[in-house]
Amino acid sequence: MASKVIHAYYNDDDVLMHAVKKIKEAKHHIEEVYCPFPVHGLDKAMGLAPTRIAITSFMYGCLGLAVAIAMMDYIMIDDWPQDIGGKPSFSYIENMPAFVPIMFELTVFFAAHLMVITFYLRSRLWPFKKAENPDVRTTDDHFVMEIEIHDNEKELRNLLLDTGAVEISIADKNDH
């Protein structure tokens, strides 16, 4: 494992995208790209696997729907049946059209909230966590591409300068 990384700084997202494609064509592995805002298509250009958060969202929505059905059956049919608007209080199926808004709302509630929690846990983002970006400019106006050095520093430096890097620096891998 390499102990040094090279940081290439870019000040334009289009130049960064072009640089990522050039670096991947040259068969170099990009460890990370730090951006001040999401860059459309960067994940595909870097060759990252697609996210599975949509699958978890669907599962959380199904959980919310199941909780809504169980909750309404227990509350409105089993525990405290009431005659509301002439609807029979002994059958969940006959009352289900009136329960659709509740089912929809709990499905969306569970999917949204649990998906956000999953995203934060999966991304290892929690309160008081120290920032992992190598330079504070990545939160303002610069993009930083991080590549491990494997006895190819000069070749990498020349390639990065050709791709439009405005600044290049070498750092220890565990400095940030």
Side-chain angles (χ1 to χ4, degrees):
M1 187 187 307
S3 61
K4 295 234 182 241
V5 291
I6 191 164
H7 290 146
Y9 294 78
Y10 297 88
N11 56 8
D12 187 319
D13 57 329
D14 292 329
V15 175
L16 172 76
M17 282 295 290
H18 178 69
V20 166
K21 291 173 184 172
K22 288 277 198 188
I23 299 297
K24 294 305 276 184
E25 284 174 11
K27 305 287 189 226
H28 293 288
H29 175 69
I30 300 170
E31 285 294 317
E32 188 66 71
V33 176
Y34 301 92
C35 302
F37 55 84
V39 177
H40 181 71
L42 184 60
D43 53 342
K44 284 185 179 34
M46 287 179 62
L48 299 177
T51 180
R52 295 185 301 265
I53 195 118
I55 297 167
T56 60
S57 176
F58 176 75
M59 292 188 310
Y60 294 149
C62 290
L63 175 67
L65 180 62
V67 166
I69 290 170
M71 179 188 76
M72 289 181 301
D73 183 53
Y74 176 73
I75 293 171
M76 298 300 289
I77 305 302
D78 296 338
D79 185 45
W80 195 273
Q82 296 180 28
D83 184 2
I84 300 172
K87 293 182 176 65
S89 60
F90 55 83
S91 170
Y92 179 82
I93 295 297
E94 289 179 300
N95 285 309
M96 197 166 59
F99 295 154
V100 168
I102 300 167
M103 292 187 294
F104 173 77
E105 291 298 330
L106 279 178
T107 300
V108 172
F109 180 86
F110 271 65
H113 287 80
L114 292 176
M115 190 171 53
V116 167
I117 292 168
T118 301
F119 173 76
Y120 282 135
L121 291 175
R122 183 72 180 99
S123 301
R124 293 181 176 90
L125 295 172
W126 40 77
F128 311 110
K129 183 175 190 283
K130 185 180 178 295
E132 294 180 1
N133 55 340
D135 193 325
V136 295
R137 292 180 290 174
T138 60
T139 62
D140 187 24
D141 63 348
H142 276 68
F143 304 85
V144 176
M145 184 187 314
E146 182 177 278
I147 305 171
E148 280 189 3
I149 298 174
H150 299 284
D151 297 327
N152 57 353
E153 181 180 337
K154 187 174 182 180
E155 173 195 344
L156 263 177
R157 184 180 291 272
N158 291 336
L159 179 61
L160 292 169
L161 286 173
D162 288 344
T163 62
V166 294
E167 182 182 330
I168 295 176
S169 66
I170 309 292
D172 285 331
K173 188 171 186 167
N174 298 325
D175 276 354
H176 59 276

